[in-house]
Amino acid sequence: MSSINYSEKIPNNVNLSEDRTLQRALEQWQPNYLQWWDDMGPEGSQNFDVYLRTAVSVDPQGWAQFGHVKMPDYRWGIFLNPAEKDRRIHFGDHLGEAAWQDVPGEHRANLRRIIVTQGDTEPASVEQQRHLGLTCPSQYDLRNLFQVNVEEGRHLWAMVYLLHKYFGRDGREEGEALLERRSGNDDNPRILQAFNEKTPDWLSFFMFTYFTDRDGKFQLCALAESSFDPLARTTKFMLTEEAHHMFVGESGVSRVIQRTCAAMIELKTDDPAKLRAAGVIDLATIQRYLNFHFSVTIDLFGADQSSNAAIFYSTGLKGRFEEGKRADDHVLKGQHYKVLEVQGDQLVEKDVPMLNALNEVLRDDYIKDSVGGVERWNKVIEKAGIPFRLKVPHKAFHRNIGSLSGVKVSPDGRVVHDHEWNQNVEQWLPTDEDRAYVASLMGRVVEPGRFANWIAPPMIGINRQPVNFEYVRFN
Ligand SMILES: [Fe+2]
Ligand SMILES: [Fe+2]
């Protein structure tokens, strides 16, 4: 079951050849996908040989095989984690019943919506990142970008497989629509706002892969608990790929910080103007980028109170993060959770039914997880002996969804009036000038082993290759 059949047109470990109708439907979708990749995938990269890993098995050991491939020839396919024998539903109203191997009619619309919403984020991020290859800071980074891109492409495959296999004609139509929406397009945008934002430079890319791919991790973790077993199994395998994306983000930001700190020590200054003159990104700008990406990303968890979230949980479609590890009744009726609201000039906590607050529960779990990496970034600054610390902003800062949307809150969590907001917003969020400065640093560095001035090289290469390995052959 776990080994992948690569002799077929669509690599898979789901015995695709035994279901001719499904196989044919997916084989019809495949050229449309490749056309989308051609149109919207990494710009000008079609002919590059890229040192990529490809899944060869879903076993935790040795699932990846590395080699140079042209991205359009990447073996995108369908990989599910092995089935767990006699898996039972472990939360919600159906607790204890057998997990579903098919979609129950009454949950069809909601499940389809969940799968489409997840699926839509995958091609969206490829679209957002499609120009970045033109300004890569090194071959090593270029390769990592492309690895993330092909895996997001595969995540789209994962969701389209579920749509085709379990949702009939509706599912096939959704599969087409996933290739038609475009990130940032006015007429036919991607579903979620963070996936319509631009990723214009590599600092944004690293912040995105640290913060926004981590949202992906939490959504996938919640879906990995689903009573709909095929969804649980496919998201479990997606999570193994997601880990690398967050590594790219965390190590990328860390290397930017490392380079900045080195310049600060060398020039004995913390003056942003002097540091910019030296061609590195000052820590205050990094903090503003962090504030932006963190706040935009936590909006992705949705409204703090949501009857849909309650329905998705109670019906067993979507669990909590690490549902299986929690020691409560996994039904949550009559339980409460604290959400924030504004009363007068104050943010106050309010108890609401936990079932309605499950978006907030997931958001809070996410916040705990994302703080960890920020602390590791601070270690780099601390080691350099520089008295500056990065901080994730208060969760009410710069929000656009739920009861906090539109309320002006400072990064340290004070409700502020327009006047104070306007006076300080340039310290809190990236300005046009910040973005223009960062953009001005984005050259293209592609000689093996060379790195742009604004970022430090990594400690080690990919798959134990040297840092100056030829990760991309441009042909
Ligand atoms: Fe993904
Ligand atoms: Fe990802």
Short mmCIF file of all heavy atoms in Angstrom, two decimals, residues 4 11 21 24 31-32 59 71 98 103 111 145 155 170-171 233 278 315 356 372 376 378 405 421 446 457:
data_model
loop_
_atom_site.label_atom_id
_atom_site.label_comp_id
_atom_site.label_asym_id
_atom_site.label_seq_id
_atom_site.Cartn_x
_atom_site.Cartn_y
_atom_site.Cartn_z
N ILE A 4 4.84 3.61 -3.90
CA ILE A 4 4.14 4.40 -4.91
C ILE A 4 4.41 3.84 -6.30
O ILE A 4 5.54 3.55 -6.65
CB ILE A 4 4.59 5.87 -4.80
CG1 ILE A 4 4.03 6.46 -3.49
CG2 ILE A 4 4.11 6.67 -5.99
CD1 ILE A 4 4.63 7.76 -3.11
N PRO A 11 1.41 9.02 -10.83
CA PRO A 11 1.96 8.21 -9.74
C PRO A 11 0.97 8.17 -8.57
O PRO A 11 0.34 9.19 -8.27
CB PRO A 11 3.23 8.95 -9.32
CG PRO A 11 3.56 9.84 -10.47
CD PRO A 11 2.27 10.17 -11.15
N THR A 21 -12.83 4.93 -14.32
CA THR A 21 -13.54 6.20 -14.50
C THR A 21 -12.78 7.33 -13.83
O THR A 21 -12.57 8.41 -14.40
CB THR A 21 -14.96 6.11 -13.87
OG1 THR A 21 -15.47 4.81 -14.16
CG2 THR A 21 -15.88 7.16 -14.40
N ARG A 24 -9.53 8.06 -15.63
CA ARG A 24 -9.76 8.84 -16.84
C ARG A 24 -10.05 10.31 -16.51
O ARG A 24 -9.53 11.23 -17.15
CB ARG A 24 -10.92 8.24 -17.65
CG ARG A 24 -10.56 8.09 -19.13
CD ARG A 24 -11.63 7.32 -19.89
NE ARG A 24 -11.76 5.93 -19.45
CZ ARG A 24 -12.91 5.34 -19.12
NH1 ARG A 24 -14.05 6.01 -19.14
NH2 ARG A 24 -12.94 4.08 -18.75
N PRO A 31 -3.59 17.45 -18.03
CA PRO A 31 -3.06 18.47 -18.96
C PRO A 31 -3.49 19.89 -18.60
O PRO A 31 -2.74 20.84 -18.83
CB PRO A 31 -3.63 18.06 -20.33
CG PRO A 31 -4.61 16.98 -20.08
CD PRO A 31 -4.39 16.43 -18.71
N ASN A 32 -4.67 20.03 -18.02
CA ASN A 32 -5.11 21.37 -17.60
C ASN A 32 -4.24 21.87 -16.45
O ASN A 32 -3.90 23.05 -16.37
CB ASN A 32 -6.58 21.36 -17.17
CG ASN A 32 -7.48 20.94 -18.32
OD1 ASN A 32 -7.06 20.96 -19.48
ND2 ASN A 32 -8.70 20.55 -18.00
N ASP A 59 6.19 5.92 3.78
CA ASP A 59 6.78 5.52 5.05
C ASP A 59 7.58 6.68 5.62
O ASP A 59 8.20 7.42 4.87
CB ASP A 59 7.73 4.33 4.86
CG ASP A 59 6.97 3.09 4.42
OD1 ASP A 59 5.77 3.02 4.72
OD2 ASP A 59 7.58 2.24 3.75
N MET A 71 10.93 20.94 -13.71
CA MET A 71 9.71 20.98 -12.90
C MET A 71 8.45 20.50 -13.62
O MET A 71 7.64 19.80 -13.02
CB MET A 71 9.52 22.35 -12.28
CG MET A 71 10.44 22.54 -11.09
SD MET A 71 10.11 24.05 -10.22
CE MET A 71 10.88 25.21 -11.33
N ALA A 98 -17.73 4.06 13.43
CA ALA A 98 -16.65 3.80 12.46
C ALA A 98 -16.40 5.05 11.62
O ALA A 98 -17.34 5.75 11.24
CB ALA A 98 -17.05 2.63 11.57
N VAL A 103 -18.41 9.72 1.63
CA VAL A 103 -18.96 10.98 2.16
C VAL A 103 -20.43 10.78 2.51
O VAL A 103 -21.24 10.50 1.62
CB VAL A 103 -18.84 12.10 1.12
CG1 VAL A 103 -19.45 13.38 1.63
CG2 VAL A 103 -17.39 12.31 0.74
N LEU A 111 -18.25 19.23 3.50
CA LEU A 111 -16.95 18.61 3.22
C LEU A 111 -16.36 19.15 1.92
O LEU A 111 -15.16 19.43 1.83
CB LEU A 111 -17.08 17.09 3.13
CG LEU A 111 -16.77 16.31 4.40
CD1 LEU A 111 -17.08 14.85 4.20
CD2 LEU A 111 -15.31 16.50 4.84
N LEU A 145 12.74 27.40 -3.00
CA LEU A 145 11.50 28.00 -3.53
C LEU A 145 10.79 27.01 -4.46
O LEU A 145 9.59 26.75 -4.33
CB LEU A 145 11.84 29.29 -4.29
CG LEU A 145 10.72 29.87 -5.17
CD1 LEU A 145 9.62 30.50 -4.32
CD2 LEU A 145 11.28 30.92 -6.15
N HIS A 155 -0.06 19.31 -3.42
CA HIS A 155 -1.17 19.44 -2.47
C HIS A 155 -2.49 19.72 -3.20
O HIS A 155 -3.55 19.28 -2.78
CB HIS A 155 -0.88 20.55 -1.45
CG HIS A 155 0.23 20.20 -0.51
ND1 HIS A 155 0.73 21.07 0.43
CD2 HIS A 155 0.93 19.05 -0.37
CE1 HIS A 155 1.70 20.47 1.11
NE2 HIS A 155 1.83 19.25 0.64
N ASP A 170 -19.88 17.44 -9.42
CA ASP A 170 -19.59 18.68 -8.67
C ASP A 170 -18.09 18.77 -8.39
O ASP A 170 -17.49 19.83 -8.49
CB ASP A 170 -20.27 18.68 -7.30
CG ASP A 170 -21.76 18.67 -7.40
OD1 ASP A 170 -22.27 18.78 -8.54
OD2 ASP A 170 -22.41 18.53 -6.35
N GLY A 171 -17.54 17.64 -8.00
CA GLY A 171 -16.12 17.60 -7.65
C GLY A 171 -15.25 17.92 -8.85
O GLY A 171 -14.26 18.65 -8.74
N ARG A 233 -6.25 10.78 5.82
CA ARG A 233 -5.04 10.11 5.35
C ARG A 233 -4.26 10.97 4.37
O ARG A 233 -3.03 10.96 4.37
CB ARG A 233 -5.41 8.78 4.72
CG ARG A 233 -5.85 7.76 5.77
CD ARG A 233 -6.54 6.58 5.14
NE ARG A 233 -5.69 5.97 4.13
CZ ARG A 233 -6.14 5.18 3.13
NH1 ARG A 233 -7.44 4.94 3.04
NH2 ARG A 233 -5.31 4.67 2.27
N ALA A 278 24.48 50.03 3.97
CA ALA A 278 25.37 48.88 3.87
C ALA A 278 24.68 47.69 3.18
O ALA A 278 25.25 46.61 3.04
CB ALA A 278 25.84 48.46 5.26
N THR A 315 -20.14 17.62 13.75
CA THR A 315 -20.46 16.59 12.76
C THR A 315 -19.23 15.73 12.43
O THR A 315 -19.33 14.80 11.65
CB THR A 315 -21.00 17.23 11.45
OG1 THR A 315 -20.06 18.20 10.99
CG2 THR A 315 -22.34 17.88 11.67
N ASN A 356 -18.55 27.16 19.56
CA ASN A 356 -18.59 28.30 18.63
C ASN A 356 -17.24 29.00 18.51
O ASN A 356 -17.04 29.82 17.62
CB ASN A 356 -19.63 29.32 19.08
CG ASN A 356 -21.03 28.83 18.80
OD1 ASN A 356 -21.30 28.35 17.71
ND2 ASN A 356 -21.89 28.91 19.78
N GLY A 372 7.44 30.13 18.98
CA GLY A 372 8.67 29.35 19.16
C GLY A 372 9.78 29.75 18.22
O GLY A 372 10.93 29.97 18.65
N ARG A 376 13.56 31.60 18.59
CA ARG A 376 14.84 31.12 18.02
C ARG A 376 15.51 32.23 17.20
O ARG A 376 16.74 32.35 17.22
CB ARG A 376 14.60 29.86 17.18
CG ARG A 376 14.30 28.63 18.05
CD ARG A 376 14.25 27.34 17.25
NE ARG A 376 13.06 27.22 16.42
CZ ARG A 376 11.84 26.83 16.86
NH1 ARG A 376 11.68 26.49 18.14
NH2 ARG A 376 10.81 26.74 16.04
N ASN A 378 15.32 35.33 18.00
CA ASN A 378 15.89 36.21 19.03
C ASN A 378 17.21 35.69 19.57
O ASN A 378 18.07 36.47 19.96
CB ASN A 378 14.87 36.41 20.16
CG ASN A 378 13.84 37.46 19.79
OD1 ASN A 378 14.13 38.37 19.01
ND2 ASN A 378 12.64 37.34 20.35
N SER A 405 -12.19 42.96 13.95
CA SER A 405 -11.89 43.59 12.66
C SER A 405 -12.27 45.06 12.72
O SER A 405 -13.30 45.45 13.27
CB SER A 405 -12.61 42.88 11.52
OG SER A 405 -13.93 43.30 11.44
N TRP A 421 -2.99 55.73 16.09
CA TRP A 421 -2.74 54.75 15.02
C TRP A 421 -1.99 55.40 13.86
O TRP A 421 -0.94 54.93 13.42
CB TRP A 421 -4.05 54.12 14.54
CG TRP A 421 -3.86 53.17 13.39
CD1 TRP A 421 -3.89 53.49 12.06
CD2 TRP A 421 -3.56 51.77 13.45
NE1 TRP A 421 -3.64 52.37 11.30
CE2 TRP A 421 -3.43 51.31 12.12
CE3 TRP A 421 -3.39 50.86 14.51
CZ2 TRP A 421 -3.14 49.97 11.82
CZ3 TRP A 421 -3.10 49.54 14.20
CH2 TRP A 421 -2.98 49.10 12.88
N VAL A 446 23.10 33.68 -8.78
CA VAL A 446 22.91 32.28 -9.17
C VAL A 446 24.21 31.48 -9.31
O VAL A 446 24.16 30.30 -9.61
CB VAL A 446 22.13 32.17 -10.51
CG1 VAL A 446 20.67 32.58 -10.31
CG2 VAL A 446 22.76 33.00 -11.61
N PRO A 457 24.74 32.71 4.34
CA PRO A 457 24.58 31.36 3.79
C PRO A 457 24.03 30.41 4.87
O PRO A 457 24.15 30.69 6.05
CB PRO A 457 26.02 30.94 3.42
CG PRO A 457 26.85 32.16 3.55
CD PRO A 457 26.15 33.10 4.46
#
